[in-house]
Amino acid sequence: MYRLYFILILTINFCSNSIFAQGSNDLNNRVEEIAKKYMDSLGIVGMSVSVIHNDDIKFKKSFGYANLELDVPMTNSSVYRIWSVSKQFCAVSILKLETTDKLELSDPISKYLDSIPGTWKDITIEQLLNHTGGIKDYLNDFKEGHKLHSTSFEIVKDSTKVLKFPSGTDWSYTNSGYWVLTKIIESVSGQKYQDYLQNEYFTPLKMKNTQKMDYFNIIKNRVNGYRNVKGVMKNSTRYLDENHLADGDAELISNIEDLSIWTKALFSGIILELELLEKAWEYSKYNNGDKIDASSIIYYDENTSYGMGWFISDLDGQKIIWTPGAGRGFSTTIFSVPSSDLNIIVLCNARRFLIADKIAKDIATEIINKN
């Protein structure tokens, strides 16, 4: 009986690790080939990649340069602007506060925020999380020259009081919605949003390189962003000036070390019970019950939908979820295949929209199909 039990345990362990059955050296070579292929073909200056399976980091390596002018090589300590990967931290914070009965996702945001436009009063917290609230995006829904880059939350509220559509009837990716979510987090937690992140996640997890972006502070190992202009590499513009005040949408900087710590903690249930987190990975729906269509943003995948902080699609019959970041000079993603316990983090200092997503998806496809 004991011998049969021992054999069964060995079989389970073998199956759970079969995704990497061909050995770590083979995995390393395959991941490096994909990373270098994209770097060479697209002129990406630098990249950091981490592959995590079953709570174990199988691959973590950086390539290229963090700064071309100073010939600084990219390392695993290099600190990137992660742009909208920041939304994952905001979404998780809202879910965490729900578990402590501080809020309900179905609550109207007017329950927690005073002096908001009347058009916002029936928008729910969940609708902000899944981008069906109808609030205009302060970055992309205003004509060039009139974008609200350097302004206060009060001005954003006033400028976005005319909704793009009645809440729950359509989908439109909006950074403003996540800024509003941080105000709710502050309201119910009694802390400034960045203090909440520091106290709840960064300090306990020893994420020493993750913080709000600041152009004035001296940040060790900061990566420079680049863009390719007709074959010539240029420094990327700052995109937003130093007075940009938003939280929750695209404000964080981090590195592959810290994001690997975060991802391991998140998917092992340390931050939230996985059963509770999994509802953020379910397809969100409009008021009429139809599944959200988010393919207008993810141009390379017409089957893309959205949950709460994660895009959702499928890869060879398995659900994939990811939080991408895209901004001038950088493309980043945390890409996951939950059923295979596979998580891939890709950080690039290149202005190529969603290229990190495509790299991560290629890596995931290679690993799954070859095993």
Side-chain angles (χ1 to χ4, degrees):
M1 181 69 179
Y2 176 79
R3 185 171 181 273
L4 288 174
Y5 176 76
F6 181 71
I7 292 171
L8 177 61
I9 293 298
L10 286 178
T11 303
I12 292 172
N13 286 337
F14 174 79
C15 291
S16 67
N17 288 286
S18 64
I19 193 169
F20 296 110
Q22 295 186 19
S24 59
N25 288 335
D26 185 48
L27 169 66
N28 291 352
N29 291 336
R30 284 150 56 196
V31 174
E32 285 196 30
E33 286 174 5
I34 293 171
K36 290 178 178 178
K37 177 190 72 173
Y38 275 97
M39 290 183 69
D40 293 342
S41 63
L42 298 178
I44 297 173
V45 175
M47 184 188 305
S48 297
V49 179
S50 177
V51 178
I52 305 168
H53 179 243
N54 283 347
D55 200 34
D56 186 20
I57 297 175
K58 300 291 187 179
F59 179 95
K60 185 170 59 179
K61 191 169 183 177
S62 296
F63 309 86
Y65 287 88
N67 188 296
L68 288 175
E69 292 172 314
L70 301 176
D71 288 329
V72 178
M74 194 75 77
T75 72
N76 290 345
S77 298
S78 298
V79 177
Y80 295 74
R81 180 89 186 256
I82 64 172
W83 289 98
S84 283
V85 171
S86 306
K87 289 183 174 69
Q88 190 171 117
F89 293 86
C90 183
V92 168
S93 297
I94 289 290
L95 295 171
K96 189 177 180 71
L97 288 167
E98 186 188 36
T99 66
T100 57
D101 298 322
K102 295 290 183 66
L103 54 81
E104 295 285 343
L105 298 185
S106 59
D107 287 339
I109 63 176
S110 56
K111 181 177 179 178
Y112 304 98
L113 300 177
D114 298 326
S115 304
I116 60 173
T119 53
W120 293 17
K121 65 181 180 65
D122 294 326
I123 297 173
T124 67
I125 293 174
E126 183 172 358
Q127 287 170 339
L128 292 185
L129 284 169
N130 63 31
H131 300 288
T132 61
I135 297 176
K136 292 180 182 178
D137 183 8
Y138 72 93
L139 287 179
N140 299 305
D141 285 333
F142 296 88
K143 292 181 179 179
E144 194 66 37
H146 297 282
K147 290 183 178 180
L148 302 175
H149 288 175
S150 175
T151 190
S152 69
F153 183 66
E154 297 303 316
I155 295 176
V156 168
K157 286 195 299 185
D158 183 64
S159 300
T160 61
K161 62 185 178 182
V162 178
L163 299 183
K164 293 186 72 172
F165 47 79
S167 58
T169 64
D170 205 345
W171 185 89
S172 182
Y173 193 85
T174 171
N175 293 283
S176 302
Y178 274 71
W179 198 354
V180 177
L181 286 170
T182 66
K183 301 301 180 183
I184 295 173
I185 292 169
E186 291 178 345
S187 175
V188 302
S189 71
Q191 303 178 66
K192 290 292 186 182
Y193 177 64
Q194 293 301 324
D195 291 338
Y196 180 88
L197 295 183
Q198 190 68 51
N199 294 331
E200 291 292 325
Y201 313 125
F202 303 159
T203 297
L205 294 174
K206 295 182 171 58
M207 297 172 62
K208 298 179 181 180
N209 299 284
T210 307
Q211 60 183 285
K212 186 172 181 176
M213 176 69 175
D214 191 311
Y215 287 111
F216 293 113
N217 286 346
I218 304 301
I219 297 173
K220 191 174 181 180
N221 299 317
R222 191 202 299 256
V223 173
N224 197 58
Y226 295 96
R227 59 194 179 106
N228 193 315
V229 182
K230 297 180 179 179
V232 178
M233 201 59 61
K234 301 285 187 180
N235 286 312
S236 179
T237 58
R238 286 180 172 177
Y239 190 42
L240 305 178
D241 69 24
E242 289 83 358
N243 294 317
H244 177 58
L245 302 175
D247 281 318
D249 64 331
E251 83 283 8
L252 295 179
I253 58 174
S254 190
N255 62 15
I256 202 71
E257 299 281 7
D258 277 12
L259 292 178
S260 295
I261 292 171
W262 165 260
T263 302
K264 285 182 62 178
L266 187 64
F267 282 82
S268 63
I270 291 174
I271 297 173
L272 277 177
E273 291 183 19
L274 285 180
E275 292 79 5
L276 300 174
L277 185 60
E278 284 171 355
K279 67 182 180 181
W281 307 337
E282 294 298 323
Y283 299 105
S284 293
K285 297 179 180 180
Y286 303 118
N287 291 345
N288 64 5
D290 291 343
K291 184 175 73 173
I292 283 175
D293 178 4
S295 59
S296 59
I297 294 290
I298 310 300
Y299 60 90
Y300 56 83
D301 188 342
E302 62 182 14
N303 296 316
T304 302
S305 187
Y306 200 82
M308 293 184 285
W310 279 264
F311 284 92
I312 304 170
S313 188
D314 65 87
L315 176 64
D316 295 331
Q318 297 189 64
K319 177 186 284 187
I320 55 174
I321 58 172
W322 70 103
T323 306
R328 297 280 178 94
F330 297 93
S331 179
T332 60
T333 193
I334 300 178
F335 184 101
S336 305
V337 189
S339 60
S340 292
D341 293 316
L342 177 63
N343 299 285
I344 300 167
I345 306 165
V346 178
L347 309 175
C348 304
N349 59 342
R351 181 191 172 186
R352 287 188 173 274
F353 187 61
L354 302 183
I355 194 61
D357 297 19
K358 298 187 73 175
I359 296 169
K361 189 174 183 179
D362 277 6
I363 292 172
T365 301
E366 182 75 8
I367 292 172
I368 291 171
N369 287 346
K370 288 294 180 65
N371 292 278

